[in-house]
Coordinates of all heavy atoms in Angstrom, one line a residue:
M1 N 14.8 10.5 3.1 CA 15.1 9.0 2.9 C 13.9 8.2 3.6 O 13.6 8.5 4.7 CB 16.4 8.7 3.6 CG 16.8 7.3 3.4 SD 18.5 7.1 4.0 CE 18.6 5.4 4.0
K2 N 13.5 7.2 2.9 CA 12.4 6.4 3.4 C 12.9 5.1 4.0 O 14.0 4.6 3.6 CB 11.4 6.0 2.3 CG 10.5 7.2 1.8 CD 9.5 6.7 0.9 CE 8.5 7.8 0.6 NZ 7.3 7.3 0.0
I3 N 12.2 4.6 5.0 CA 12.6 3.4 5.7 C 11.7 2.2 5.1 O 10.5 2.3 5.1 CB 12.4 3.4 7.2 CG1 13.2 4.5 7.8 CG2 12.6 2.1 7.9 CD1 12.9 4.9 9.2
G4 N 12.4 1.2 4.5 CA 11.6 0.1 3.9 C 11.2 -0.9 5.0 O 12.0 -1.4 5.8
I5 N 9.9 -1.2 5.0 CA 9.3 -2.1 6.0 C 8.7 -3.3 5.3 O 8.0 -3.1 4.3 CB 8.2 -1.4 6.8 CG1 8.7 -0.1 7.5 CG2 7.5 -2.3 7.8 CD1 9.5 -0.3 8.7
F6 N 9.0 -4.4 5.9 CA 8.4 -5.7 5.4 C 7.8 -6.4 6.6 O 8.5 -6.5 7.6 CB 9.5 -6.5 4.6 CG 8.9 -7.7 4.0 CD1 8.3 -7.6 2.8 CD2 9.1 -9.0 4.5 CE1 7.8 -8.8 2.1 CE2 8.6 -10.1 3.8 CZ 7.9 -10.0 2.6
V7 N 6.6 -6.9 6.5 CA 5.9 -7.6 7.6 C 5.9 -9.1 7.3 O 5.5 -9.5 6.2 CB 4.5 -7.0 7.8 CG1 3.8 -7.8 8.9 CG2 4.6 -5.6 8.2
V8 N 6.2 -9.9 8.4 CA 6.1 -11.3 8.3 C 5.1 -11.8 9.4 O 5.5 -11.7 10.6 CB 7.4 -12.0 8.5 CG1 7.3 -13.5 8.3 CG2 8.5 -11.4 7.6
D9 N 3.9 -12.2 9.1 CA 2.9 -12.6 10.0 C 1.9 -13.5 9.3 O 1.6 -13.3 8.1 CB 2.2 -11.4 10.6 CG 1.4 -11.7 11.9 OD1 0.4 -12.5 11.8 OD2 1.8 -11.2 12.9
D10 N 1.4 -14.5 10.0 CA 0.5 -15.4 9.3 C -1.0 -15.0 9.5 O -1.9 -15.8 9.1 CB 0.7 -16.9 9.8 CG 0.5 -17.0 11.3 OD1 0.8 -16.1 12.0 OD2 0.2 -18.1 11.7
H11 N -1.2 -13.9 10.1 CA -2.6 -13.4 10.2 C -2.8 -12.1 9.4 O -2.2 -11.1 9.6 CB -2.9 -13.0 11.7 CG -2.9 -14.2 12.6 ND1 -1.7 -14.6 13.3 CD2 -3.8 -15.1 12.9 CE1 -2.0 -15.7 13.9 NE2 -3.3 -16.0 13.7
Y12 N -3.7 -12.3 8.4 CA -3.9 -11.2 7.4 C -4.4 -9.9 8.1 O -4.1 -8.8 7.7 CB -4.9 -11.7 6.3 CG -4.9 -10.8 5.2 CD1 -3.9 -10.6 4.3 CD2 -6.1 -10.0 4.9 CE1 -3.9 -9.7 3.2 CE2 -6.1 -9.1 3.9 CZ -5.0 -9.0 3.0 OH -5.1 -8.1 2.0
M13 N -5.3 -10.1 9.1 CA -5.8 -8.9 9.8 C -4.7 -8.1 10.5 O -4.7 -6.9 10.5 CB -6.8 -9.3 10.9 CG -8.1 -9.9 10.3 SD -9.2 -8.7 9.7 CE -9.8 -8.0 11.2
V14 N -3.7 -8.8 11.0 CA -2.5 -8.1 11.6 C -1.7 -7.4 10.5 O -1.4 -6.2 10.7 CB -1.6 -9.1 12.3 CG1 -0.3 -8.4 12.8 CG2 -2.3 -9.7 13.5
I15 N -1.5 -8.0 9.4 CA -0.8 -7.4 8.3 C -1.5 -6.1 7.8 O -0.9 -5.1 7.6 CB -0.6 -8.4 7.1 CG1 0.3 -9.5 7.5 CG2 -0.1 -7.7 5.8 CD1 0.3 -10.7 6.6
E16 N -2.8 -6.3 7.6 CA -3.6 -5.1 7.1 C -3.7 -4.0 8.1 O -3.7 -2.8 7.8 CB -5.0 -5.6 6.7 CG -5.0 -6.3 5.3 CD -4.4 -5.4 4.2 OE1 -4.9 -4.2 4.0 OE2 -3.4 -5.8 3.5
G17 N -3.8 -4.4 9.4 CA -3.7 -3.3 10.4 C -2.5 -2.5 10.5 O -2.5 -1.3 10.5
I18 N -1.3 -3.2 10.4 CA 0.0 -2.5 10.4 C 0.1 -1.7 9.1 O 0.5 -0.5 9.1 CB 1.1 -3.5 10.5 CG1 1.1 -4.2 11.9 CG2 2.4 -2.9 10.2 CD1 2.0 -5.4 12.0
R19 N -0.4 -2.3 8.0 CA -0.2 -1.5 6.7 C -1.1 -0.3 6.7 O -0.6 0.8 6.3 CB -0.7 -2.4 5.5 CG -0.4 -1.7 4.2 CD -1.0 -2.6 3.0 NE -2.4 -2.7 3.1 CZ -3.3 -1.7 2.7 NH1 -2.9 -0.6 2.3 NH2 -4.6 -2.0 2.8
S20 N -2.3 -0.4 7.3 CA -3.1 0.8 7.4 C -2.5 1.9 8.3 O -2.7 3.1 8.0 CB -4.6 0.5 7.8 OG -4.6 0.1 9.2
L21 N -1.9 1.5 9.3 CA -1.2 2.5 10.2 C -0.1 3.2 9.5 O 0.2 4.3 9.8 CB -0.7 1.8 11.5 CG -1.8 1.3 12.5 CD1 -1.2 0.5 13.6 CD2 -2.5 2.5 13.1
L22 N 0.7 2.4 8.7 CA 1.9 3.0 8.1 C 1.8 3.6 6.7 O 2.6 4.3 6.3 CB 3.0 1.8 8.0 CG 3.4 1.2 9.4 CD1 4.4 0.1 9.1 CD2 4.0 2.3 10.3
Q23 N 0.6 3.3 6.0 CA 0.5 3.7 4.6 C 0.6 5.2 4.3 O 1.0 5.5 3.2 CB -0.7 3.1 4.0 CG -2.0 3.7 4.5 CD -3.2 3.0 3.9 OE1 -3.1 2.1 3.0 NE2 -4.4 3.4 4.4
N24 N 0.3 6.0 5.2 CA 0.3 7.4 5.0 C 1.5 8.1 5.6 O 1.6 9.3 5.5 CB -1.0 8.1 5.6 CG -2.2 7.6 4.8 OD1 -2.2 7.5 3.6 ND2 -3.3 7.4 5.5
E25 N 2.4 7.4 6.2 CA 3.7 7.9 6.7 C 4.6 8.2 5.5 O 5.0 7.3 4.7 CB 4.3 6.9 7.7 CG 3.5 6.7 8.9 CD 3.3 8.0 9.8 OE1 4.3 8.7 9.8 OE2 2.2 8.1 10.4
K26 N 5.0 9.4 5.4 CA 5.9 9.9 4.3 C 7.3 9.3 4.4 O 8.0 9.2 3.4 CB 6.0 11.4 4.3 CG 4.7 12.0 3.9 CD 4.8 13.5 3.8 CE 3.5 14.1 3.2 NZ 2.6 14.7 4.0
T27 N 7.7 8.8 5.6 CA 9.1 8.3 5.7 C 9.1 6.8 5.7 O 10.2 6.2 5.9 CB 9.7 8.8 7.0 OG1 8.9 8.4 8.1 CG2 9.9 10.3 7.0
I28 N 8.0 6.1 5.4 CA 7.9 4.7 5.4 C 7.6 4.2 4.0 O 6.7 4.7 3.3 CB 6.7 4.2 6.3 CG1 7.0 4.6 7.8 CG2 6.6 2.7 6.2 CD1 8.1 3.9 8.5
D29 N 8.3 3.2 3.5 CA 8.1 2.5 2.3 C 7.6 1.1 2.5 O 8.4 0.3 3.0 CB 9.4 2.5 1.4 CG 9.2 1.8 0.1 OD1 8.0 1.8 -0.4 OD2 10.2 1.4 -0.5
W30 N 6.3 0.9 2.3 CA 5.7 -0.4 2.6 C 6.2 -1.3 1.4 O 5.8 -1.2 0.3 CB 4.2 -0.4 2.6 CG 3.5 -1.7 2.7 CD1 3.0 -2.5 1.7 CD2 3.3 -2.4 3.9 NE1 2.5 -3.6 2.3 CE2 2.6 -3.6 3.6 CE3 3.5 -2.1 5.3 CZ2 2.3 -4.5 4.6 CZ3 3.1 -3.0 6.2 CH2 2.5 -4.2 5.9
M31 N 7.0 -2.3 1.8 CA 7.6 -3.2 0.8 C 6.8 -4.5 0.6 O 7.0 -5.2 -0.4 CB 9.0 -3.5 1.2 CG 10.0 -2.3 1.1 SD 11.7 -2.7 1.5 CE 12.2 -3.5 0.0
G32 N 5.9 -4.8 1.5 CA 5.0 -6.0 1.3 C 5.0 -6.8 2.6 O 5.3 -6.3 3.7
H33 N 4.6 -8.0 2.4 CA 4.4 -8.9 3.5 C 4.6 -10.4 3.0 O 4.5 -10.7 1.9 CB 3.1 -8.8 4.2 CG 1.9 -9.3 3.3 ND1 1.3 -8.6 2.3 CD2 1.3 -10.5 3.3 CE1 0.4 -9.3 1.8 NE2 0.4 -10.5 2.3
A34 N 4.9 -11.2 4.0 CA 4.9 -12.7 3.8 C 4.1 -13.3 5.0 O 4.1 -12.8 6.1 CB 6.3 -13.2 3.8
T35 N 3.6 -14.5 4.7 CA 2.8 -15.2 5.7 C 3.5 -16.4 6.4 O 2.9 -17.1 7.2 CB 1.4 -15.6 5.2 OG1 1.6 -16.4 4.1 CG2 0.6 -14.4 4.8
N36 N 4.7 -16.6 5.9 CA 5.5 -17.7 6.4 C 7.0 -17.4 6.2 O 7.4 -16.5 5.5 CB 5.1 -19.0 5.9 CG 5.2 -19.1 4.3 OD1 6.2 -18.8 3.8 ND2 4.1 -19.4 3.7
A37 N 7.8 -18.2 6.8 CA 9.3 -18.0 6.7 C 9.8 -18.3 5.4 O 10.7 -17.5 4.9 CB 10.0 -19.0 7.7
T38 N 9.3 -19.2 4.7 CA 9.7 -19.6 3.3 C 9.5 -18.4 2.4 O 10.5 -18.0 1.6 CB 9.0 -20.8 2.8 OG1 9.2 -21.9 3.7 CG2 9.5 -21.2 1.4
S39 N 8.4 -17.8 2.4 CA 8.1 -16.6 1.6 C 9.0 -15.4 2.0 O 9.4 -14.7 1.1 CB 6.6 -16.2 1.7 OG 5.8 -17.2 1.2
C40 N 9.2 -15.2 3.2 CA 10.1 -14.2 3.7 C 11.5 -14.3 3.1 O 12.0 -13.4 2.6 CB 10.1 -14.2 5.2 SG 11.3 -13.0 5.9
L41 N 12.0 -15.5 3.2 CA 13.4 -15.7 2.7 C 13.5 -15.6 1.2 O 14.4 -15.0 0.7 CB 13.9 -17.1 3.2 CG 14.1 -17.2 4.7 CD1 14.4 -18.7 5.1 CD2 15.3 -16.3 5.1
S42 N 12.4 -16.0 0.5 CA 12.4 -15.8 -1.0 C 12.4 -14.3 -1.3 O 13.1 -13.9 -2.2 CB 11.1 -16.4 -1.5 OG 11.2 -17.8 -1.4
F43 N 11.6 -13.5 -0.5 CA 11.6 -12.1 -0.8 C 12.9 -11.4 -0.5 O 13.4 -10.6 -1.3 CB 10.5 -11.4 0.2 CG 10.5 -9.9 0.1 CD1 9.7 -9.3 -0.9 CD2 11.2 -9.1 1.0 CE1 9.7 -7.9 -1.0 CE2 11.2 -7.8 0.9 CZ 10.4 -7.1 -0.1
L44 N 13.6 -11.9 0.6 CA 14.9 -11.3 0.9 C 16.0 -11.6 -0.1 O 17.0 -10.9 -0.1 CB 15.2 -11.7 2.3 CG 14.4 -11.2 3.5 CD1 14.8 -11.8 4.8 CD2 14.5 -9.7 3.5
K45 N 15.8 -12.6 -0.9 CA 16.8 -12.9 -1.9 C 16.9 -11.8 -3.0 O 17.9 -11.6 -3.6 CB 16.5 -14.3 -2.6 CG 16.9 -15.4 -1.7 CD 16.5 -16.8 -2.4 CE 16.8 -17.9 -1.5 NZ 16.4 -19.2 -2.1
L46 N 15.7 -11.1 -3.1 CA 15.6 -10.1 -4.2 C 15.5 -8.7 -3.7 O 15.8 -7.8 -4.4 CB 14.3 -10.4 -5.0 CG 14.2 -11.7 -5.7 CD1 12.9 -11.9 -6.3 CD2 15.3 -11.9 -6.7
H47 N 15.1 -8.5 -2.4 CA 14.9 -7.2 -1.8 C 15.5 -7.1 -0.4 O 15.5 -8.1 0.3 CB 13.5 -6.8 -1.7 CG 12.7 -7.1 -3.0 ND1 12.7 -6.2 -4.1 CD2 11.9 -8.1 -3.4 CE1 11.9 -6.7 -5.0 NE2 11.5 -7.9 -4.6
E48 N 16.0 -6.0 0.0 CA 16.5 -5.9 1.4 C 15.8 -4.7 2.0 O 16.3 -3.6 1.9 CB 18.0 -5.8 1.4 CG 18.6 -5.9 2.8 CD 20.1 -6.1 2.8 OE1 20.6 -6.8 1.9 OE2 20.7 -5.6 3.7
P49 N 14.8 -5.0 2.8 CA 14.2 -3.9 3.6 C 15.1 -3.4 4.7 O 16.0 -4.1 5.1 CB 12.9 -4.5 4.2 CG 13.3 -6.0 4.3 CD 14.2 -6.3 3.1
D50 N 14.8 -2.2 5.2 CA 15.5 -1.8 6.4 C 15.0 -2.5 7.7 O 15.9 -2.8 8.5 CB 15.3 -0.2 6.6 CG 15.8 0.5 5.4 OD1 17.0 0.4 5.0 OD2 15.0 1.2 4.7
V51 N 13.8 -2.7 7.7 CA 13.2 -3.3 9.0 C 12.2 -4.5 8.6 O 11.4 -4.3 7.7 CB 12.4 -2.3 9.8 CG1 11.7 -2.9 10.9 CG2 13.3 -1.1 10.1
L52 N 12.3 -5.6 9.3 CA 11.3 -6.7 9.3 C 10.5 -6.6 10.5 O 11.1 -6.6 11.7 CB 12.0 -8.0 9.2 CG 12.6 -8.6 7.9 CD1 13.2 -10.0 8.1 CD2 11.5 -8.6 6.8
L53 N 9.2 -6.6 10.4 CA 8.3 -6.7 11.6 C 7.9 -8.1 11.5 O 7.2 -8.5 10.6 CB 7.1 -5.7 11.5 CG 7.5 -4.2 11.5 CD1 6.1 -3.4 11.3 CD2 8.2 -3.9 12.8
M54 N 8.3 -8.9 12.5 CA 8.2 -10.4 12.4 C 7.4 -11.0 13.6 O 7.8 -10.8 14.7 CB 9.6 -11.0 12.3 CG 9.5 -12.5 12.0 SD 11.2 -13.3 12.1 CE 12.0 -12.3 10.8
D55 N 6.4 -11.8 13.3 CA 5.7 -12.6 14.2 C 6.6 -13.7 14.8 O 7.4 -14.2 14.0 CB 4.5 -13.2 13.6 CG 3.5 -13.9 14.6 OD1 3.8 -13.8 15.8 OD2 2.5 -14.4 14.2
I56 N 6.5 -14.0 16.0 CA 7.4 -15.1 16.5 C 6.7 -16.5 16.3 O 7.4 -17.5 16.4 CB 7.8 -14.9 18.0 CG1 6.6 -14.9 18.9 CG2 8.6 -13.7 18.1 CD1 7.0 -15.1 20.4
N57 N 5.5 -16.5 16.0 CA 4.8 -17.8 15.7 C 4.4 -17.8 14.2 O 3.4 -17.2 13.8 CB 3.5 -17.9 16.5 CG 3.8 -18.3 17.9 OD1 4.7 -19.1 18.2 ND2 3.0 -17.8 18.9
L58 N 5.1 -18.6 13.5 CA 4.9 -18.7 12.0 C 4.5 -20.2 11.8 O 5.0 -21.1 12.5 CB 6.1 -18.3 11.2 CG 6.4 -16.8 11.3 CD1 7.8 -16.5 10.7 CD2 5.3 -15.9 10.7
P59 N 3.8 -20.5 10.7 CA 3.4 -21.9 10.4 C 4.5 -22.9 10.1 O 4.4 -24.0 10.3 CB 2.4 -21.7 9.3 CG 2.6 -20.4 8.7 CD 3.2 -19.6 9.7
D60 N 5.6 -22.4 9.4 CA 6.6 -23.3 9.0 C 7.9 -23.2 9.7 O 8.8 -24.1 9.5 CB 6.8 -23.1 7.5 CG 7.2 -21.7 7.1 OD1 7.1 -20.8 7.9 OD2 7.7 -21.5 5.9
K61 N 8.1 -22.2 10.5 CA 9.3 -22.1 11.3 C 9.1 -21.1 12.4 O 8.4 -20.1 12.2 CB 10.5 -21.6 10.4 CG 11.8 -21.4 11.0 CD 12.8 -20.9 10.1 CE 13.3 -22.0 9.1 NZ 14.6 -21.6 8.4
S62 N 9.8 -21.3 13.5 CA 9.8 -20.3 14.6 C 10.3 -19.0 14.1 O 11.3 -18.9 13.4 CB 10.6 -20.8 15.8 OG 10.9 -19.7 16.6
G63 N 9.6 -17.9 14.5 CA 10.1 -16.5 14.2 C 11.4 -16.3 14.8 O 12.3 -15.5 14.2
I64 N 11.7 -16.9 15.9 CA 13.0 -16.7 16.6 C 14.1 -17.4 15.7 O 15.1 -16.7 15.5 CB 13.0 -17.3 18.0 CG1 12.0 -16.4 18.8 CG2 14.4 -17.3 18.6 CD1 11.6 -17.0 20.2
D65 N 13.8 -18.5 15.2 CA 14.8 -19.2 14.4 C 15.0 -18.4 13.0 O 16.1 -18.3 12.5 CB 14.4 -20.6 14.1 CG 14.5 -21.5 15.3 OD1 15.2 -21.2 16.2 OD2 13.8 -22.6 15.3
L66 N 13.8 -17.9 12.5 CA 13.9 -17.1 11.3 C 14.7 -15.9 11.5 O 15.5 -15.5 10.7 CB 12.5 -16.8 10.8 CG 12.5 -15.9 9.5 CD1 13.2 -16.6 8.3 CD2 11.0 -15.6 9.2
C67 N 14.5 -15.2 12.6 CA 15.3 -14.0 13.0 C 16.8 -14.3 13.0 O 17.6 -13.6 12.4 CB 14.9 -13.5 14.3 SG 15.8 -12.0 14.8
K68 N 17.2 -15.4 13.6 CA 18.6 -15.8 13.5 C 19.2 -16.0 12.1 O 20.2 -15.5 11.8 CB 18.8 -17.1 14.4 CG 18.6 -16.9 15.9 CD 18.7 -18.3 16.5 CE 18.3 -18.2 18.0 NZ 18.3 -19.5 18.7
E69 N 18.3 -16.7 11.3 CA 18.8 -16.9 9.9 C 18.9 -15.6 9.2 O 19.8 -15.4 8.4 CB 17.7 -17.9 9.3 CG 18.2 -18.3 7.9 CD 17.3 -19.4 7.4 OE1 16.4 -20.0 8.1 OE2 17.4 -19.8 6.2
V70 N 17.9 -14.7 9.3 CA 17.9 -13.4 8.6 C 19.1 -12.6 9.0 O 19.8 -12.0 8.2 CB 16.6 -12.6 8.9 CG1 16.7 -11.2 8.4 CG2 15.4 -13.3 8.2
K71 N 19.4 -12.6 10.3 CA 20.5 -11.8 10.8 C 21.9 -12.4 10.3 O 22.8 -11.6 10.1 CB 20.5 -11.7 12.3 CG 19.4 -10.8 12.9 CD 19.3 -9.4 12.3 CE 20.5 -8.6 12.7 NZ 20.4 -7.2 12.1
Q72 N 21.9 -13.7 10.1 CA 23.1 -14.3 9.5 C 23.3 -13.9 8.1 O 24.4 -13.6 7.6 CB 23.0 -15.8 9.7 CG 24.1 -16.4 10.5 CD 23.9 -17.9 10.6 OE1 22.9 -18.5 10.0 NE2 24.8 -18.6 11.3
L73 N 22.2 -14.0 7.3 CA 22.2 -13.8 5.9 C 22.2 -12.3 5.5 O 22.8 -11.9 4.5 CB 21.1 -14.5 5.2 CG 21.1 -16.0 5.3 CD1 19.8 -16.6 4.8 CD2 22.2 -16.6 4.5
Y74 N 21.5 -11.5 6.3 CA 21.3 -10.1 6.0 C 21.5 -9.2 7.2 O 20.6 -8.8 7.8 CB 19.9 -9.9 5.4 CG 19.5 -10.8 4.3 CD1 18.8 -12.0 4.6 CD2 19.9 -10.6 3.0 CE1 18.5 -12.9 3.6 CE2 19.6 -11.5 2.0 CZ 18.9 -12.6 2.3 OH 18.6 -13.5 1.2
P75 N 22.7 -9.1 7.7 CA 23.0 -8.4 8.9 C 22.5 -7.0 9.0 O 22.3 -6.5 10.1 CB 24.5 -8.6 9.1 CG 25.1 -8.9 7.8 CD 23.9 -9.5 7.0
A76 N 22.4 -6.3 7.9 CA 22.0 -4.9 7.9 C 20.4 -4.7 8.2 O 20.0 -3.6 8.5 CB 22.3 -4.2 6.6
V77 N 19.7 -5.8 8.0 CA 18.2 -5.7 8.2 C 17.9 -5.8 9.7 O 18.3 -6.7 10.4 CB 17.5 -6.9 7.5 CG1 16.0 -6.9 7.8 CG2 17.8 -6.8 6.0
A78 N 17.2 -4.8 10.2 CA 16.7 -4.8 11.6 C 15.5 -5.6 11.7 O 14.6 -5.6 10.8 CB 16.4 -3.3 12.0
V79 N 15.4 -6.4 12.8 CA 14.2 -7.2 13.0 C 13.6 -6.9 14.3 O 14.2 -6.8 15.3 CB 14.6 -8.7 13.0 CG1 13.4 -9.6 13.2 CG2 15.4 -9.2 11.7
L80 N 12.3 -6.6 14.2 CA 11.5 -6.3 15.4 C 10.5 -7.4 15.5 O 9.7 -7.7 14.6 CB 10.7 -5.0 15.2 CG 11.6 -3.7 15.2 CD1 10.7 -2.5 14.9 CD2 12.4 -3.5 16.4
G81 N 10.4 -8.0 16.7 CA 9.5 -9.1 16.9 C 8.1 -8.7 17.3 O 8.0 -7.7 18.1
L82 N 7.1 -9.4 16.7 CA 5.7 -9.1 17.0 C 5.2 -10.3 17.8 O 5.4 -11.4 17.3 CB 4.9 -8.8 15.8 CG 5.3 -7.7 14.9 CD1 4.5 -7.7 13.6 CD2 5.1 -6.4 15.6
S83 N 4.4 -10.1 18.8 CA 3.7 -11.2 19.4 C 2.6 -10.7 20.3 O 2.5 -9.6 20.7 CB 4.8 -11.9 20.4 OG 4.2 -12.9 21.1
T84 N 1.6 -11.6 20.4 CA 0.5 -11.4 21.3 C 0.7 -12.0 22.6 O -0.1 -11.9 23.5 CB -0.9 -11.9 20.7 OG1 -0.7 -13.3 20.5 CG2 -1.2 -11.2 19.4
F85 N 1.9 -12.7 22.8 CA 2.2 -13.4 24.1 C 2.8 -12.4 25.0 O 3.6 -11.5 24.7 CB 3.1 -14.6 23.8 CG 2.4 -15.6 23.0 CD1 2.7 -15.8 21.7 CD2 1.4 -16.4 23.6 CE1 2.2 -16.8 21.0 CE2 0.8 -17.4 22.9 CZ 1.2 -17.6 21.5

């Protein structure tokens, strides 16, 4: 069984770094990425990953607020916070 991963970060280098680390893992299904909260929520309307790797600083909404919203709407999705702080 594969674990579906979706990344939410506004830095393309971070997204690509995480993708390159995970792309050869047989138990990981890379589902894609979003660079803001709006795109993330649009994706989640159609797909439900197992795990969101989420930056806490996003351009359109705090990652902390987005996490609360995701957990309310999609309680089965695990959210892991990413931060350089």
